[in-house]
Amino acid sequence: MTDKPNDPAARRWHDMGGASAGPVPMDGHDFALWEKRVDALMVLCGSKGLLSVHGLRRVLEDMGEEAFENYSYYDRWIAAINQNLVEHGVYTLEELGTRMADVAARGGTYGEATDG
Amino acid sequence: MPHDHADHDHLSPSGHPYRADNDGPLTYWQQMEIAVRELLIEKGHITAAEIATQVNDMDSRSPANGAAVVARAWTDPEFKTRLLADAGDASREMGFDIGPLELIAVENTDEVHNLIVCTLCSCYPRNLLGLPPDWYKTRAYRSRAVREPRSVLREFGVDLPDGIRVRVHDSTADMRYIVLPARPKGTDGMDADALAALVTRDSMIGAGLARTP
């Protein structure tokens, strides 16, 4: 990668081990159903050969630091899963776009939009 | 799916309120999750039942699984030897599905304290502990655990004497760690079930110690 592994500027944003940071935030949250489903999709798509952990990591790392700061963990995961599935030819971007519009038209909350 | 909002209390057909986390405004990413899930099902890659089973399996995995492994290691020296040799196989022996990844158990002793982290993201012994706590995935923990572990540990209420060496283990997607905490003093004669109740999630990450009875 580089001959200066200790130079923060030579590392990619996700490689944050050893950097300076403030106190560890101890607040947590219970995972929402949609987050658990994202996790389940990752595991199932992996076990069925539709994506690999390396494909997932590639997209997550390419998203950059701004995505890390602005989006939640499972926001980033579903984006990474989606990109891998499109690349793998599971569905097209057009199919995705059409379906996302259908989903949004069902209602304004996750509960309303999730089951038609 | 019935979702008649005529009642202002937002009660579901079962008479219970909708889950709070399903009641907020639909986000772009939730919209994407629904669309991706439906497309996968319609195209025959995954069934709805498989997703539900996976979510249930996830919900059923908790630190109690890891605690049972730890308590067995504390009470069965031959099992402990097998655990330290190959934590995946030893855990499978107890009926836990570890998946294809490599799992390594690291033992806390009077001389050494182990702490696990994933500096690159969030790799965690999820099959034995469930999903990682939010703090495990934060920039602060990932950055500082490898550089100033004693100071991080103090934030978790663990103040280690200078004589104890701290070893920090950085996980990867394929290779994960679990800490075998030191058995607390005053637990002679306790059986594995009673001991398991002393094993906290954080003690198996190294961010805590096992409870004393």
Side-chain angles (χ1 to χ4, degrees), chain A residues 36-56:
Chain A
K36 293 178 184 178
R37 283 175 167 161
V38 171
D39 202 285
L41 290 178
M42 187 277 293
V43 173
L44 289 167
C45 288
S47 67
K48 288 168 190 286
L50 300 175
L51 56 77
S52 73
V53 68
H54 309 293
L56 197 78

Side-chain angles (χ1 to χ4, degrees), chain A residues 18 29 36 65 73 108 110, chain B residues 26 33 59 122 134 143 147:
Chain A
H29 79 298
K36 293 178 184 178
E65 189 156 20
Y73 185 78
Y110 184 80
Chain B
L26 182 68
E33 179 272 313
D59 280 342
S122 58
D134 286 345
S143 299
R147 184 168 178 171

Side-chain angles (χ1 to χ4, degrees), chain A residues 53-54 57, chain B residues 101-104 117-125 136 169-177:
Chain A
V53 68
H54 309 293
R57 294 296 318 152
Chain B
L101 52 92
E102 190 173 349
L103 183 67
I104 299 170
V117 62
C118 176
T119 61
L120 297 177
C121 184
S122 58
C123 294
Y124 185 75
Y136 188 82
H169 305 268
D170 197 354
S171 317
T172 68
D174 306 317
M175 193 171 71
R176 305 183 185 211
Y177 296 89

